[in-house]
Structure formats: C-alpha cells, structure tokens
Amino acid sequence: MSHGLQSVCDAIILARAGQYISDAEFILLFDYNWSKPLFPYWKFDEFNMDTWDDEECRTELRFAKGDLPVLKAVLGVPDKITCQQGTTCSGDEALCILLKRFAYPCRYSDMVSRFGRNPSELCLIFNEVLDFLYERHHHRLQSWNQPFLSPEILQIYADAIHNKGAPLDNCFGFVDGTVRQIARPKYHQRVMYNGHKRVHSIKFQSVVLPNGLIGNLAGPYEGKRHDSMMLQESGLLTNLRQIAFYNNNPLHIW
C-alpha cells in the first residue's frame, strides 16, 4: 500500500473510532480506498527455467540458456536471495529477473506473466540482486588495478588501435559519455536538466577498450554537467598518468 493510501485508511479508522462515521460508511470508504492488486499474478505459473527454450532466453535475457549457470557462478549469485521484507527466490530466478529487467525496454508489469510475481516483488528482488552485484563487483569498473589493465596488456591495445590505421601508436582506449534519462526531480531541476538531450538526466563517463570492455567508469554526474568538467572532476587524467609507461613511452586515451 502506498503512503498516500495508508494515510487515508488511517484517517478512516480514526473517524470510525471517534464515531464520526457509521459502520456502513466505514466499510464503504475503507473498501474504496484499499489498494488492490494491479495484476492478477496468481493466474500465471511460477518461475521454472526448464520451461524456457534457448531462443526465448536469447530474446528475453540476451543470453543463451546454457550460459546462465556460468554467468551465475562468475558473478557469485547465491542459491537463495532474501529481500529485506522477507521475499525470497532462487538465485537462478533472481538472475533472470535482473537480465529481463535490463533487456530494455521492459517494465515490471511486462515480467508478471514470466515469473508469476506481482510487480512489487519483482522490484524488490531486482534491487536486492543489483545491490549485491554492485557491492561485490563495483571495483572492477572503478579501479585501475586490474589484470586487463597491466602495462603489457595496454600496449597490446595500443598496437591494435595503431594497426587499424590510427596515427598514434600509444593510444589504448577512448573516453565516452552517456546520458541516462530520469524522472523530473522535485528539487534542483535545473541542475539535472540536460539542454542537449532536453531531458532530466544523470551522466556517466567511461574509458572503452578495444576488446569491448569498459576499463573505467565515473559517475553519476548531474545532467547539466559538461563532459570536459566531468573529465577533470573524475580524476581520470591523474590516474592515467600513474598507470602505464612502456619503453619510456606514456600510453594515452582519446
């Protein structure tokens, strides 16, 4: 029940306790203001990975069915996920909920028929597994101390870029930014408004490597923030000066 409906129901109960309304009026008002389920999720079967074929997994989750156990093991998703309010689900289901939600465009209401859960439960499970993965793996996007960012590997990236026709022989990655739209905030709307995209948003800035991986991710920043200012505040340039020198030739990003 939402906070607004809860306040209305509390007021109705107090009104009946104070005998300001009759029993009939209390029943009518309480029933009218009681939140009702938006989706009859109980009509759908519960999650069962065995009923999904490989093509459905590729279409809805963007992963092959055989890749899901490997992905779960690599990410370290536990066999059971328990939300703060007590909702539980298997690690397989939690991973599928995460992947389905990320397969844009997808709303929680679109997932009801697949998982047999109401949108509130799906939201709780999604946030729980997302927080778990962030706490466990966020350092992989924010730290330069990674095996795939060693000086030797960076030189391989630089050689690959140069061999593709780039005039520089010491560039190992490319800075790129992205604008992610958000709902219009109640406060500080001007700060979050991106005039170029004409939406309220947050921005991220990353270094993309030739192998397709994100080498480093900085953000979020306010949607109004300019890319050059984000680059200065992220400390990216300072970090780059410290990580890679190969044959006395500093490696750079573009």
Side-chain angles (χ1 to χ4, degrees):
M1 180 181 294
S2 67
H3 178 72
L5 284 178
Q6 183 64 58
S7 300
V8 172
C9 290
D10 291 343
I12 295 173
I13 294 173
L14 291 174
R16 180 65 194 98
Q19 298 184 350
Y20 294 107
I21 58 177
S22 65
D23 289 341
E25 291 172 329
F26 169 78
I27 294 173
L28 179 63
L29 290 172
F30 197 85
D31 181 69
Y32 181 80
N33 290 281
W34 183 260
S35 61
K36 300 176 177 59
L38 298 177
F39 302 93
Y41 62 91
W42 55 86
K43 294 183 178 180
F44 301 101
D45 295 331
E46 295 181 355
F47 172 81
N48 184 357
M49 194 69 251
D50 295 336
T51 63
W52 294 42
D53 59 36
D54 192 65
E55 186 60 31
E56 287 176 318
C57 289
R58 290 182 181 275
T59 302
E60 300 196 30
L61 306 180
R62 298 184 180 178
F63 281 87
K65 185 174 181 178
D67 294 336
L68 296 179
V70 179
L71 183 62
K72 177 188 172 186
V74 170
L75 294 177
V77 178
D79 293 331
K80 182 178 180 181
I81 295 292
T82 303
C83 302
Q84 292 184 356
Q85 46 62 268
T87 297
T88 61
C89 72
S90 66
D92 293 332
E93 182 179 7
L95 178 62
C96 290
I97 289 175
L98 179 81
L99 296 177
K100 176 65 176 177
R101 175 64 171 163
F102 278 152
Y104 181 84
C106 178
R107 298 179 297 179
Y108 290 117
S109 58
D110 302 327
M111 302 163 60
V112 172
S113 59
R114 266 304 188 186
F115 297 95
R117 293 179 180 270
N118 64 59
S120 297
E121 282 187 320
L122 293 171
C123 179
L124 288 169
I125 295 171
F126 170 79
N127 288 328
E128 188 70 25
V129 69
L130 186 65
D131 289 342
F132 170 82
L133 293 178
Y134 176 79
E135 291 296 329
R136 188 181 179 93
H137 299 289
H138 74 275
H139 67 279
R140 303 183 187 279
L141 293 176
Q142 298 177 340
S143 171
W144 289 100
N145 186 23
Q146 303 293 338
F148 58 87
L149 293 175
S150 65
E152 294 78 15
I153 300 299
L154 292 180
Q155 187 62 56
I156 294 176
Y157 298 155
D159 293 340
I161 294 172
H162 181 65
N163 292 336
K164 282 293 185 177
L168 296 175
D169 60 1
N170 60 351
C171 172
F172 72 85
F174 303 86
V175 177
D176 194 14
T178 180
V179 177
R180 311 306 298 174
Q181 184 176 357
I182 62 172
R184 184 176 63 183
K186 185 176 181 179
Y187 304 105
H188 309 297
Q189 295 183 14
R190 290 182 179 273
V191 176
M192 305 306 295
Y193 186 75
N194 184 277
H196 177 63
K197 297 293 185 178
R198 298 182 182 275
V199 295
H200 291 88
S201 63
I202 55 177
K203 300 179 72 175
F204 295 86
Q205 199 166 62
S206 64
V207 176
V208 183
L209 304 175
N211 60 4
L213 294 178
I214 295 177
N216 192 265
L217 181 68
Y221 297 96
E222 301 90 339
K224 187 179 180 180
R225 195 69 61 88
H226 192 272
D227 287 354
S228 61
M229 186 63 67
M230 290 165 50
L231 186 60
Q232 295 177 17
E233 294 185 0
S234 67
L236 180 60
L237 295 179
T238 302
N239 290 331
L240 288 174
R241 295 188 184 101
Q242 300 173 354
I243 62 170
F245 283 87
Y246 188 72
N247 291 333
N248 297 320
N249 187 19
L251 299 175
H252 298 289
I253 58 172
W254 282 78

